[in-house]
């Protein structure tokens, strides 16, 4: 490919908003950087408006230049890593709150607004935006839609899609800014293109703004952490929790090895010999959350070897910060990791937790898992010394075994992170031939030249 | 078209499951029968299994014979009315509960299970399935997915799509039974084909089974009905309710004329001069629902001319039966009606309620509206004597004005019922050219011969 006429792009978005060479480096990877994933692009473009973003898409599409949409760059699947050329279209300058209506629980924000900013906006207006995929300071609302982001509170409140009523999107062939839906809360006039875009990982269109709905602020949230000395006891306690009549707002777990790796950063002393840690949370009005907390304590305590159930806001915050830091704690323990995000039917959760350890063992690797127990969503992980070439290679093979396991258990190869570039080619093992053909047909329909985030989410 | 070789179909599904002539009559219309909508089909086929349904689809598709999937036949848009030929594929014999796991809040039911049966199944197992589109005794779960059904409690709990984790579908070209998703609660591996099927009104595939999730049973629900003598006062009370910090489980309304038509069947005496009736409901644990009821009473009472807030289970049930019977009460008042289901952003609700009356007046028709206020979803209706040919004609023109209004207000021509055959051609006024082209491309991809429910949901 001849060198990109950068000057033309500068004319569309302003000179300071086209980055090349060294300045483009931070845009060439995502959270998989630690695993050595990084790419190449001819230029990074940061359109200051949706219209200029559309002009960039049109300019690229006409010239056959790949377009890699990029949000906060916090993905775990290499979904925004450019593969050898083209333009990275960063939405970081699209940061306006276009409208906010606290009375009617809705807002329209541009794609580059951070998840935290939206959460804060909601809170400041007496509302709650419950999607909490982690890395909220960095991740963008547009990226949250493009990956259909989850997080701990998806158990009660659903994933990103459940909170989106409309999208502003640039579809590639025409390079037009197109509106799908609006703040209207119900719409069955056409096929559900909003849902099709959600989780499409930038392969069908570029999202420039999002209409979200919210709910009234939740006054209180009380987490209960319980430790178990056997997987059976822990899973039984989880089933008791689910059968208690309470709907926890979150239901998380750490297996034994993960608990060990995160032990030192836990706010309190932990019992020894933990095989499973459960974190359940009750929320609602103060009375309701208190009653929920009691129900959780009743369900989780009897079989446990210890319980921690903070009620002070600072302690609760510290607990959730600890929970969010588990990935980092696991990183720190061995230096290298391959972490996947399979999800299985709830009946198969215990089997998947055990099988993760077995798969590790069969590859001579230390394994662990943690994640969103209530959603059957595991972050199954193999840890190793990054200088150990054999371990690095084995971990990638072991990840394949994990995907096969998830499929065998009737689950999915990705509950949260998407296929990105790391899971290309696996969907055809999970889906029927008919479904795969439809996925490929949809891609061709939306992106006939295959220039939108090429090499990603391939079946 | 030559006469259909009915014997071939009988070989696929059994002789008693192919109906022709007089026996096919009940399958040729839906809830729009009262408006004179009815069609023609060569045969009605009732496959007893998903596999035999697939054989029927394959048989028809190979021969170029239209297939009209049919659930309970309770739709309001003629979505399952056959248009002049082909086969109606009724899912009424697909009534098995294939699996039920109360501990893990999930079930797989066949498409012909009624909505009521699923609601009951949930209740009997300490769970709650909140989708309540009305006509629950007749409507089928498969049809609820195909139309992405709503109902009063969609305000808090979302529409049908929010409760579906997996589908068993027959895609036409291959006639294969294909599984999309499962009971797994989170899945971002492929494009969201489940959502694409939801609300596709039988034009993309035939749904034969549905994986649903549920939540723990809700112990108490307390409705509060309030009457207002001006639209302003009513809408202000609604805004106060939304700002109260309570999330009502339902937030319904009746305008003045609708209140009059439903007055006699209301459980109590109503005040005179009602311009707006609001029905809000608080649910949750007994304590929570009671607190919610208090908050609703505080928000709704001050400006109202009367309040009715029953707490006895029988009275609450009677109230909701009355609410569900509003359509029938309106039918009874004049004999004929044209009723649409536009939805608008909440900010525009009052404008849409008023404009409905104005549109009626401009066509010399009595108009009224009621519906799901919290979702901005109006059942805007023109009533008339069915023998008045002018009125019948004017009402259809007035419906067009309603659609234009919804689009102008940033809303949708259909919040619940879908396009069916009655709203064909209107989507292109609501959507951009790009989005319409994508909708048409998706239809061609899934159904290249255009044999799946032809003449429906046309943009």
């Amino acid at each position: 490919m001849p060198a990109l006429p950068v000057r033309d792009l500068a004319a569309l978005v302003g000179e300071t908003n086209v980055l090349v060479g060294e300045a483009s480096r931070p845009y060439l990877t995502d959270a998989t950087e630690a695993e050595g994933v990084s790419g190449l692009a001819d230029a990074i473009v940061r359109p200051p408006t949706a219209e200029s973003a559309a002009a960039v898409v049109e300019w690229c599409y006409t010239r056959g230049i790949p377009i890699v949409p990029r949000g906060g760059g916090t993905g775990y699947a290499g979904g925004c890593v450019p593969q050898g050329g083209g333009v990275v279209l960063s939405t970081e300058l699209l940061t306006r709150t276009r409208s906010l209506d606290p009375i009617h629980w809705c807002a329209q924000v541009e794609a580059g607004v951070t998840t935290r900013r939206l959460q804060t906006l909601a809170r400041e207006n007496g509302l709650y935006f419950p999607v909490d995929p982690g890395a909220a300071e960095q991740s963008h609302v547009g990226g949250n839609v493009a990956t259909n982001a989850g997080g701990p509170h998806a158990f009660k409140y659903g994933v990103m899609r459940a909170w989106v009523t409309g999208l502003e999107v640039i579809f590639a062939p025409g390079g037009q800014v197109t509106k799908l839906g609006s703040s209207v809360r119900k719409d069955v006039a056409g096929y559900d293109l909003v849902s099709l875009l959600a989780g499409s990982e930038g392969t069908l269109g570029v999202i420039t703004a999002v209409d979200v709905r919210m709910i009234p602020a939740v006054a209180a949230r009380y987490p209960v952490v319980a430790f178990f000395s056997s997987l059976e006891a822990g899973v039984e306690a989880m089933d008791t929790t689910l059968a208690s009549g309470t709907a926890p707002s979150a239901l998380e777990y750490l297996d034994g090895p993960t608990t060990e790796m995160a032990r030192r950063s836990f706010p309190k002393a932990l019992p020894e010999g933990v095989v499973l840690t459960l974190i359940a949370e009750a929320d609602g009005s103060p009375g309701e959350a208190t009653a929920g907390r009691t129900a959780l304590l009743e369900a989780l305590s009897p079989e446990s070897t210890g319980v921690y159930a903070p009620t002070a806001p600072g302690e609760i915050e510290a607990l959730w910060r600890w929970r969010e830091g588990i990935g980092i704690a696991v990183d720190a323990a061995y230096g290298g990791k391959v972490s996947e995000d399979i999800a299985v039917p709830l009946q198969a959760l215990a089997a998947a937790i055990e099988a993760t350890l077995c798969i590790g063992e069969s590859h001579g690797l230390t394994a662990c898992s943690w994640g969103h127990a209530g959603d059957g969503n595991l972050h199954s992980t193999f840890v190793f010394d990054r200088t150990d070439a054999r371990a690095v290679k084995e971990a990638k093979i072991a990840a394949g075994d994990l995907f096969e396991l998830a499929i065998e258990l009737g689950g999915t190869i990705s509950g949260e992170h998407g296929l990105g570039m790391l899971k290309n080619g696996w969907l055809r093992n999970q889906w029927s031939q008919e479904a795969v053909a439809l996925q490929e047909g949809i891609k061709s329909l939306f992106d006939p030249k295959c220039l939108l985030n090429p090499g990603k989410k391939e079946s």
Side-chain angles (χ1 to χ4, degrees), chain A:
Chain A
M1 195 185 296
L4 208 70
V6 170
R7 208 170 293 176
D8 292 6
L9 284 167
L12 299 176
V13 298
E15 204 155 333
T16 56
N17 292 325
V18 182
L19 309 177
V20 294
E22 196 53 30
S24 70
R25 195 179 291 264
Y27 296 84
L28 303 179
T29 187
D30 62 5
T32 58
E33 186 171 22
E35 293 174 36
V37 176
S38 146
L40 283 172
D42 293 303
I44 316 301
V45 179
R46 307 185 298 186
T49 61
E51 291 66 33
S52 59
V56 170
V57 170
E58 196 270 332
W59 187 90
C60 289
Y61 216 77
T62 309
R63 287 161 184 76
I65 296 165
I67 303 148
V68 181
R70 181 186 178 87
T74 57
Y76 282 101
C80 64
V81 176
Q83 301 208 318
V87 162
V88 170
L89 193 163
S90 167
T91 56
E92 74 196 284
L93 299 184
L94 303 176
T95 57
R96 280 197 310 144
T97 299
R98 291 199 190 154
S99 66
L100 170 69
D101 182 347
I103 299 284
H104 299 110
W105 307 352
C106 60
Q108 187 186 73
V109 296
E110 290 186 338
V113 167
T114 65
T115 315
R116 180 72 78 226
R117 175 82 197 104
L118 179 54
Q119 290 165 345
T120 304
L121 201 68
R123 200 174 51 243
E124 288 170 350
N125 287 278
L127 297 170
Y128 179 38
F129 182 75
V131 183
D132 59 344
E137 307 288 352
Q138 287 81 47
S139 88
H140 291 181
V141 173
N144 295 160
V145 177
T147 57
N148 203 8
H153 291 88
F155 178 59
K156 178 169 178 179
Y157 294 103
V159 293
M160 187 68 183
R161 171 62 189 101
W163 300 91
V164 175
T165 59
L167 290 178
E168 184 184 84
V169 190
I170 303 164
F171 289 121
Q176 297 289 324
V177 178
T178 298
K179 198 70 206 288
L180 301 174
S182 66
S183 66
V184 77
R185 294 167 54 100
K186 268 161 123 187
D187 185 359
V188 288
Y191 295 149
D192 188 354
L193 301 187
V194 171
S195 286
L196 203 55
L197 267 289
S200 68
E201 303 184 47
T203 63
L204 299 181
V206 180
I207 295 164
T208 52
V210 184
D211 296 284
V212 295
R213 66 180 186 90
M214 292 165 281
I215 50 174
V218 170
R221 54 183 74 249
Y222 295 126
V224 173
V225 189
F227 306 98
F228 301 90
S229 59
S230 79
L231 188 58
E232 293 66 37
V235 170
E236 209 182 297
M238 181 173 142
D239 285 353
T240 307
T241 303
L242 291 173
S244 72
T246 303
S249 52
L251 187 44
E252 303 278 299
Y253 86 97
L254 288 69
D255 77 350
T258 308
T259 305
E260 283 315 307
M261 288 182 241
R263 172 182 285 274
R264 267 178 301 176
S265 51
F266 192 72
K268 297 269 158 178
L270 297 187
E272 291 305 312
V274 175
V275 174
L276 194 77
T277 301
L278 289 177
I279 312 167
E281 188 188 68
D283 74 357
S285 66
E288 188 193 351
T290 303
R293 178 174 180 271
T294 305
L296 292 177
L297 281 168
E298 276 170 16
L300 292 170
S301 299
E303 301 294 320
S304 77
T305 58
V307 164
Y308 174 60
T311 53
E315 287 179 331
I316 293 170
E317 255 178 60
L319 176 68
W320 280 113
R321 265 202 311 279
W322 171 77
R323 165 60 190 90
E324 199 184 333
I326 286 171
I328 294 164
V330 172
D331 273 341
Y334 287 76
K337 75 165 191 264
V338 163
S339 187
E340 301 300 345
D341 68 314
I342 59 170
V344 298
L346 272 186
Q347 300 86 339
L349 178 64
I353 292 172
E354 279 192 316
T356 296
L357 299 178
C358 293
I359 289 171
E361 202 173 334
S362 74
H363 290 274
L365 294 163
T366 300
C368 66
S369 72
W370 71 93
H372 315 301
D375 279 327
N377 190 185
L378 298 84
H379 296 311
S380 290
T381 303
F382 307 108
V383 288
F384 44 81
D385 178 340
R386 215 182 299 177
T387 61
D388 179 350
R390 187 207 64 87
V392 173
K393 198 177 142 196
E394 280 297 325
K396 283 179 185 160
I397 302 170
D401 291 357
L402 269 184
F403 299 150
E404 277 169 15
L405 170 79
I407 293 166
E408 207 180 287
L409 293 172
T412 175
I413 54 176
S414 182
E416 301 202 301
H417 301 163
L419 298 193
M421 56 186 276
L422 298 185
K423 282 171 226 166
N424 275 341
W426 274 98
L427 187 63
R428 61 186 57 244
N429 299 321
Q430 181 178 325
W431 277 16
S432 71
Q433 222 176 315
E434 288 77 17
V436 166
L438 290 172
Q439 160 124 344
E440 290 174 351
I442 289 169
K443 170 66 176 173
S444 300
L445 174 67
F446 280 68
D447 178 16
K449 292 188 185 176
C450 200
L451 293 173
L452 274 176
N453 212 5
K456 309 293 166 54
K457 213 178 180 71
E458 291 186 343
S459 42

